[in-house]
Amino acid sequence: TRTQEGDYSFIWMGGTIVIPTRMPKNPVSDIISTVEFNHTGELLATGDKGGRVVIFQREQESKNQIHRRGEYNVYSTFQSHEPEFDYLKSLEIEEKINKIRWLPQQNAAYFLLSTNDKTVKLWKVSERDKRPEGYNLKDEEGRLRDPATITTLRVPVLRPMDLMVEATPRRVFANAHTYHINSISVNSDYETYMSADDLRINLWNFEITNQSFNIVDIKPANMEELTEVITAAEFHPHHCNTFVYSSSKGTIRLCDMRASALCDRHTKFFEEPEDPSNRSFFSEIISSISDVKFSHSGRYIMTRDYLTVKVWDLNMENRPIETYQVHDYLRSKLCSLYENDCIFDKFECVWNGSDSVIMTGSYNNFFRMFDRNTKRDVTLEASRENSKPRAILKPRKVCVGGKRRKDEISVDSLDFSKKILHTAWHPSENIIAVAATNNLYIFQDKVN
């Protein structure tokens, strides 16, 4: 199990507390590969490269310990996916959890979707604190009794027991993707969801596992003519007929399923013209979009490429309305980042609950926040070494050249093996989850 260690606090635009969670001791399989809050923010799910899903539950506020309000503790851990082997293609299918998406809670149980490269699973997470006793045909140990020995009938009763959290797979959606699944998104009708791989997007009904509808197919007849792949896809938060998907060419396509069954022809096409003066060998690589997210209002789209975060208005296709530089100081380091493959890292981005602040990750366990209203930005570090109990975490600055100040870090000193790819923001409060390799940090507003 994953244990929680100590409280740390730091200031960010009003203050924050961090609760790092140490993962098990296997360096590769324990690397966190996805983080997701549920719709109320009471649960937080993480998936890792070992195919495990760990769910954290927020503790109830205590009058005696106000500073410990809303801590997240381990609620349930289960193995979602196992490694498989495709005998037809002689390929290993790794167990790594690529994405987790929650369904809105309808009853006492929770439901979530988890996917690896090929298979999506619908999981039910429920609590059990009572067990039945007093069966007629079974003894107390569950063995069948001889009907001839039964002389009286008993009415079974429910007895209290220790709380047990059970995770059971309710649906398995398999055999629909030739390529690796990179995105899943639950529709606002809560009856369907879509799964996207490099070349196709499929639409599923939650009740039907043996059939899906192909709604996007960009595979050319001749694979040598392939020029781009799908990198991310998401449904509109309010309109069940609308979705977007991004490509490795830095473009975003908005599709309307009312127009045609196969959405190969987009409704809107978002692309920023490239500045010829910035053209380089790495231009196509760094322009590839790694994540796309609708705002909660549904009016805007946010995209993350290697160096920037961009905000697009759905009513303006020719350029983004906002562009934020995440780590522009790496522009001079692209050659070495290409050699160590870091240039292919896929960073995610998230909105806060009111769509006023954007968060995304960087290297050296840094993560960036951009306030859209005040245009302020801050760089913070998720690090156990730089955090003391109840201390204030100071903003970090990167020095590009010239004389370095005491509180700055040189761009040449950045550790590119420490990267924050996956983050999540509580749907209504200033609580964020940051995955730093195999550590999970949870930050929340500091209580004065």
Side-chain angles (χ1 to χ4, degrees):
T1 60
R2 307 181 179 188
T3 59
Q4 197 167 56
E5 300 187 358
D7 289 344
Y8 301 82
S9 61
F10 71 92
I11 291 288
W12 166 72
M13 299 179 187
T16 339
I17 299 170
V18 56
I19 309 162
T21 304
R22 179 165 286 163
M23 313 302 250
K25 292 287 184 181
N26 188 333
V28 177
S29 64
D30 303 328
I31 294 175
I32 301 174
S33 53
T34 183
V35 185
E36 187 79 6
F37 280 102
N38 74 338
H39 289 71
T40 63
E42 293 303 301
L43 297 181
L44 171 66
T46 67
D48 64 25
K49 287 193 172 183
R52 291 181 298 268
V53 172
V54 178
I55 301 175
F56 299 87
Q57 185 181 46
R58 193 179 187 189
E59 297 297 318
Q60 297 299 315
E61 293 186 19
S62 170
K63 294 181 180 179
N64 301 326
Q65 296 176 307
I66 299 178
H67 70 278
R68 295 176 66 89
R69 69 181 180 120
E71 280 194 5
Y72 284 82
N73 292 307
V74 176
Y75 177 64
S76 176
T77 305
F78 60 91
Q79 189 73 30
S80 174
H81 288 72
E82 300 281 357
E84 298 176 48
F85 191 81
D86 187 332
Y87 293 98
L88 291 176
K89 297 181 179 178
S90 295
L91 289 175
E92 288 187 14
I93 303 171
E94 62 178 348
E95 63 271 34
K96 172 191 161 193
I97 308 297
N98 292 339
K99 285 288 185 289
I100 290 174
R101 291 291 181 264
W102 291 90
L103 276 68
Q105 189 176 5
Q106 305 291 340
N107 49 41
Y110 302 98
F111 290 87
L112 63 84
L113 287 171
S114 65
T115 184
N116 66 351
D117 286 341
K118 298 291 183 182
T119 304
V120 183
K121 294 184 180 181
L122 174 66
W123 289 88
K124 176 184 178 182
V125 181
S126 55
E127 297 181 355
R128 192 150 61 95
D129 59 359
K130 293 182 175 65
R131 68 171 183 269
E133 289 185 2
Y135 287 110
N136 289 294
L137 299 178
K138 295 180 181 178
D139 60 21
E140 300 304 325
E141 296 180 1
R143 292 190 297 263
L144 289 174
R145 298 169 60 186
D146 183 359
T149 63
I150 300 174
T151 57
T152 59
L153 289 177
R154 295 183 295 178
V155 177
V157 295
L158 292 174
R159 301 284 187 200
M161 59 176 280
D162 292 337
L163 179 66
M164 193 165 79
V165 180
E166 297 177 319
T168 53
R170 300 306 302 269
R171 303 279 189 277
V172 177
F173 306 90
N175 305 320
H177 285 277
T178 306
Y179 308 96
H180 292 178
I181 298 172
N182 55 48
S183 303
I184 50 175
S185 179
V186 179
N187 201 345
S188 58
D189 61 12
Y190 304 131
E191 292 183 0
T192 57
Y193 77 92
M194 70 176 173
S195 57
D197 65 25
D198 296 333
L199 298 178
R200 297 186 180 99
I201 299 177
N202 293 332
L203 180 69
W204 301 81
N205 186 294
F206 281 111
E207 300 299 322
I208 302 170
T209 60
N210 61 353
Q211 179 180 324
S212 65
F213 294 97
N214 180 224
I215 53 177
V216 172
D217 188 346
I218 66 169
K219 182 183 178 183
N222 182 4
M223 285 295 282
E224 292 181 359
E225 299 172 2
L226 182 67
T227 58
E228 62 180 335
V229 295
I230 298 168
T231 56
E234 186 174 66
F235 268 120
H236 191 282
H238 310 302
H239 304 313
C240 62
N241 54 280
T242 307
F243 68 93
V244 294
Y245 68 92
S246 59
S247 86
S248 57
K249 276 193 168 181
T251 61
I252 309 108
R253 290 171 173 84
L254 180 79
C255 300
D256 190 335
M257 291 190 291
R258 295 172 301 184
S260 63
L262 187 63
C263 300
D264 283 349
R265 292 187 178 180
H266 47 265
T267 305
K268 292 192 174 185
F269 183 78
F270 301 85
E271 183 179 24
E272 184 177 23
E274 185 184 12
D275 184 354
S277 62
N278 290 333
R279 180 76 185 172
S280 73
F281 172 77
F282 306 107
S283 295
E284 286 191 14
I285 302 174
I286 63 174
S287 65
S288 176
I289 294 174
S290 56
D291 196 16
V292 60
K293 294 276 173 64
F294 271 108
S295 61
H296 295 87
S297 65
R299 172 68 185 272
Y300 304 103
I301 303 171
M302 173 172 57
T303 60
R304 170 70 203 265
D305 56 41
Y306 190 67
L307 295 178
T308 66
V309 172
K310 296 174 182 175
V311 177
W312 303 76
D313 190 317
L314 286 186
N315 297 325
M316 190 167 74
E317 302 171 50
N318 60 336
R319 60 184 173 85
I321 58 171
E322 299 163 25
T323 300
Y324 301 98
Q325 300 295 332
V326 179
H327 40 216
D328 198 52
Y329 47 79
L330 295 181
R331 196 175 288 275
S332 62
K333 302 285 183 184
L334 293 179
C335 188
S336 58
L337 291 166
Y338 177 78
E339 290 175 355
N340 62 17
D341 285 345
C342 285
I343 201 170
F344 301 105
D345 286 334
K346 293 175 170 53
F347 293 94
E348 296 175 3
C349 52
V350 291
W351 303 88
N352 72 337
S354 61
D355 299 332
S356 61
V357 182
I358 290 166
M359 177 174 62
T360 190
S362 181
Y363 293 104
N364 208 69
N365 278 356
F366 289 169
F367 59 98
R368 303 269 283 141
M369 289 182 172
F370 304 94
D371 191 311
R372 299 179 62 209
N373 298 325
T374 65
K375 302 304 178 185
R376 290 170 56 199
D377 65 90
V378 67
T379 302
L380 299 171
E381 183 178 5
S383 170
R384 195 184 309 278
E385 292 78 16
N386 294 336
S387 301
K388 296 179 181 178
R390 313 301 306 168
I392 293 174
L393 185 63
K394 296 178 182 178
R396 302 300 306 270
K397 291 184 179 180
V398 177
C399 172
V400 179
K403 194 172 182 180
R404 183 171 64 87
R405 294 181 182 178
K406 184 179 179 182
D407 60 341
E408 292 181 337
I409 181 171
S410 169
V411 66
D412 297 317
S413 303
L414 296 175
D415 187 344
F416 294 105
S417 66
K418 295 179 178 178
K419 58 192 81 172
I420 292 177
L421 304 177
H422 314 288
T423 57
W425 202 306
H426 190 287
S428 57
E429 299 182 38
N430 278 337
I431 300 176
I432 58 175
V434 175
T437 316
N438 63 339
N439 287 290
L440 177 68
Y441 293 86
I442 300 174
F443 308 100
Q444 68 183 45
D445 276 353
K446 184 172 179 288
V447 182
N448 296 323

